Amino acid sequence: MAIVSFSFSFSATAVVMHICATPCTEQSSSAAHHMDTDFLFRITLTSLQSFTRPHPNYASTTQISTKSNHFQQRSASCQVKTELQEWRASPSQKPLHSAVDLGTVKHEIDVWADASSYGIGILIDDHFLAWKYCLKWNGWGKDGYDIGWAETIGLELAIRCLVASNLSDANFLVHNDNAGAIEAVKKGLSRNIRSNESITRMNSLLPSNPPIKFVHVKSETNKADPISRGNFMGYKSSPLTIELPESLSGIITRVDSQNPV
């Protein structure tokens, strides 16, 4: 939060409003550090309604026009002077202070997700999570269980990891190398019925405006790619406990460095 203060100055040609934002923290209501956010903008007298109307005492040859002398001195009407007095008096009648939420500067956390025909890998905060397909499951390539579905499940598992981590005051960048899966999650719709089931579950896990951004990367730069293939690259196993939905419990199973894919 911040306290925004307004002050005014006047000249013959403009009304100038000065704005100064002073941040407030929970520890101190009057922060010693002032933000360098002095904004100036001018409201010219020609924008005032009364000044744009012709003065009744002016002859047509003396009104502002393309034929008039722009350097000729002119006097303001009584209504313009009245409006200026109102502008001058307004700041002194009531303090112009307003609390503005400038937001908390959030740090970014990178999350990597990938899937392969072997399994699914997640990397978050230099800790990995991996799942492999159950030996008894033979649905790969059938009834919508394809690589597009697996990549969507990878994004779902990444979301479940973030929910389980209880991290706050952060923006999450979820990296994945499947553009189709990312676009489907963003749109909330996929042509694959199995992917749609995953997207529906993701929507139920997240608030209306989650601090999550999906980022498409090339396969060779996806840090989760080797993890999805059983190569954990020396990363530590994540201590997070992820609860799988019932529809996935018989399809994938959690693995770690002692029990590789």
Side-chain angles (χ1 to χ4, degrees), residues 238-259:
S238 173
L240 292 176
T241 299
I242 307 302
E243 183 178 354
L244 293 178
E246 184 178 354
S247 58
L248 293 179
S249 60
I251 298 177
I252 58 176
T253 183
R254 178 83 176 267
V255 296
D256 54 31
S257 55
Q258 280 72 42
N259 182 25

Side-chain angles (χ1 to χ4, degrees), residues 192-210:
N192 186 316
I193 187 173
R194 302 301 177 188
S195 295
N196 275 334
E197 293 172 352
S198 175
I199 292 172
T200 300
R201 291 193 296 266
M202 277 187 262
N203 290 335
S204 66
L205 292 171
L206 296 172
S208 57
N209 293 304

